[in-house]
Amino acid sequence: MAIQTVSQFRSLFKGVRSNRFRVIVNWPDRLRNKPSQEKSEVYIKAADIPEASIGQINVPWMGRTIKFSGERTYSEWSIQIYESNQTVNDLRKVFEDWMDIMDQRTTHKISYDVAADWEVWYNDVVSGTKTTSTAFTRGIRLVKCFPINVGALNMDYDVADSFAVFPVTLRYRDWE
């Protein structure tokens, strides 16, 4: 069916809003010192659905380069998290504790088994002009996440009408 009018386009268009998403965390067992930390939502200012790419294997043959698909790699996942001064939601402290379990500051005791699965849900669909759905119907699960960087928490008297955020970069095994 060829779209011929604006009304037809509006009634058939189903857009995904980039500001409607949820991030659900299943914290590592060793970080669960409170029942509220078993599985929770994290208030994130910004996040991307991370990239995956397939490498390329070049094989020279008779003056030409023949290309084959290579290994799949996953990009780091960078997120911006809202800082909170509530003890239950002090996410910066949770990330610092997580990194401390992975490599303790004073003893350098290393633990490799402190990864957790994270879920990123999106697709709060706006369907034409008739209905708006608030169901998050698409998502990915980041398997075996762990933080590799907890960024700076910038304090600035010049910034007004804003909450403090800090960046976190996570690595993961793969995503589903």
Side-chain angles (χ1 to χ4, degrees), residues 52-66:
S53 59
I54 302 241
Q56 178 177 295
I57 301 169
N58 295 322
V59 178
W61 182 75
M62 295 182 65
R64 294 185 174 97
T65 302
I66 311 300

Side-chain angles (χ1 to χ4, degrees), residues 15 20 25 35 43 47 50 73 76 82 86 106 113 130 132 138:
R20 307 266 174 106
V25 180
Y43 296 111
T73 58
E76 296 172 347
Y82 284 112
Q86 295 179 344
T106 55
D113 192 28
K130 296 178 183 174
T132 301
R138 283 188 184 161

